[in-house]
Amino acid sequence: MPHQIQTFAVDILRLCLWLVILAVVFVPLERLFTLREAKVRRAGIGTDLVWYFISSLLPGILLGVPMAIVALGVHHIVPSQVQAFSAELSLGWRIVASLVVGEIGFYWGHRWSHEIPFLWKFHALHHSAEHLDWLVNTRAHPVDMVFGKFVGLVPLYVLGLASPLSGKLDIVPLIVVFVGTFWGFFIHANVKWRFGWLEHIIATPAFHHWHHTRRDHIDRNYSAMLPFVDRLFGSYYVPREWPEEYGTDHPVPARMHEQLIQPLTPR
């Protein structure tokens, strides 16, 4: 028990440090390049801060067993030639391939969260934000976070790009999750930057803000980092203008404990 308490304390300290770093980066940027005026201590920021810690701690704990089962199943089902081919790739190419493959997996997990009513009940919390900034990235139900990461990571194990049974620490899934998480903070940021032709190559705030639109062209831009996946599956939309309104008409309670429980209860 003391060891578990110590580990938990270290995790909290790590998340506090990471939160400070994110705030030092994004708060000045959102002040200098504001898209829509808002106070730093805006309405709901306390709840979003709690979600930051919950969304950072719980998915890793809850994913351990499912990913171990997937890894065991993959090593018995997928042809060894697939695993061998991936094992021969250099670390750089494994990372690039993993980012692309993981993005496709995440895309479909994200899209299913919009199209399947049961999953949407959990994902609606993230879309309840009527003002976007970097911290909104972690306003997400644990079930939604676990499902999205699970669907994004499974293809890495199937193709042998992640090898948890090798007996060694595999940094590829860690890099994919880290890059995706940091980029998630960026694309939610309340900044008015536009990137010209780069917007066709990599996800930007304009790209993702349209994903959060309340009225016009909803259910677009599911990708986290690579817009070509949306182009591939017909859900890309990035005009010159910005959305006029964010949020969802799906009822989401204001209190955090109700946000956590509501999707788990039958109507």
Side-chain angles (χ1 to χ4, degrees), residues 27 52 69 114 170:
V27 170
Y52 164 80
I69 294 173
H114 282 252
D170 191 352

Side-chain angles (χ1 to χ4, degrees), residues 26 30 126 129 131-138 181 183-191 204-205 208-209 211-212:
F26 286 107
E30 291 188 338
H126 182 62
H131 169 79
L132 291 193
D133 59 30
W134 62 277
L135 191 56
V136 170
N137 180 48
T138 54
T181 300
W183 207 255
F185 287 106
F186 171 63
I187 60 179
H188 286 88
N190 180 30
V191 293
T204 63
H208 194 71
H209 278 223
H211 177 69
H212 281 264

Side-chain angles (χ1 to χ4, degrees), residues 4-267:
Q4 294 174 337
I5 295 175
Q6 183 180 9
T7 301
F8 180 75
V10 170
D11 287 339
I12 294 295
L13 182 61
R14 171 180 55 81
L15 289 174
C16 288
L17 178 61
W18 180 232
L19 180 62
V20 170
I21 294 172
L22 289 169
V24 168
V25 171
F26 286 107
V27 170
L29 289 180
E30 291 188 338
R31 295 302 96 192
L32 291 171
F33 305 100
T34 303
L35 174 63
R36 288 183 170 87
E37 293 296 331
K39 297 179 180 179
V40 175
R41 297 181 61 182
R42 57 168 172 76
I45 192 171
T47 301
D48 285 347
L49 283 170
V50 176
W51 278 121
Y52 164 80
F53 286 96
I54 292 176
S55 299
S56 301
L57 289 170
L58 275 185
I61 297 172
L62 299 177
L63 275 171
V65 173
M67 295 316 304
I69 294 173
V70 168
L72 285 169
V74 163
H75 279 265
H76 286 88
I77 298 173
V78 177
S80 59
Q81 292 87 346
V82 175
Q83 304 282 322
F85 175 80
S86 297
E88 291 176 359
L89 294 175
S90 66
L91 178 61
W93 279 113
R94 282 182 63 207
I95 292 173
V96 171
S98 296
L99 289 172
V100 174
V101 170
E103 181 78 328
I104 294 173
F106 173 81
Y107 170 93
W108 281 107
H110 192 181
R111 183 164 177 167
W112 291 333
S113 294
H114 282 252
E115 296 178 347
I116 299 174
F118 174 77
L119 296 175
W120 169 248
K121 289 198 304 180
F122 297 96
H123 190 60
L125 169 62
H126 182 62
H127 281 266
S128 66
E130 296 181 355
H131 169 79
L132 291 193
D133 59 30
W134 62 277
L135 191 56
V136 170
N137 180 48
T138 54
R139 182 190 295 191
H141 196 282
V143 172
D144 182 39
M145 292 283 287
V146 168
F147 177 75
K149 283 185 168 58
F150 179 79
V151 178
L153 288 172
V154 164
L156 305 189
Y157 294 121
V158 171
L159 297 178
L161 295 168
S163 304
L165 299 185
S166 63
K168 300 178 181 179
L169 176 64
D170 191 352
I171 66 170
V172 172
L174 299 179
I175 291 174
V176 171
V177 171
F178 175 80
V179 172
T181 300
F182 181 82
W183 207 255
F185 287 106
F186 171 63
I187 60 179
H188 286 88
N190 180 30
V191 293
K192 58 185 177 182
W193 291 343
R194 299 303 298 258
F195 293 85
W197 61 270
L198 277 175
E199 292 186 348
H200 298 286
I201 299 174
I202 196 160
T204 63
F207 173 86
H208 194 71
H209 278 223
W210 272 104
H211 177 69
H212 281 264
T213 182
R214 186 173 195 141
R215 301 296 177 200
D216 300 324
H217 301 279
I218 62 173
D219 299 331
R220 302 292 188 97
N221 302 353
Y222 297 105
S223 301
M225 291 183 291
L226 304 175
F228 87 86
V229 181
D230 279 278
R231 288 185 176 275
L232 183 63
F233 296 113
S235 52
Y236 179 88
Y237 181 75
V238 183
R240 292 184 177 181
E241 64 272 13
W242 294 78
E244 294 184 0
E245 186 180 7
Y246 304 115
T248 176
D249 293 332
H250 184 97
V252 176
R255 297 180 180 179
M256 202 212 74
H257 71 280
E258 294 176 343
Q259 294 173 353
L260 183 64
I261 296 172
Q262 183 204 43
L264 299 170
T265 57
R267 288 193 173 187

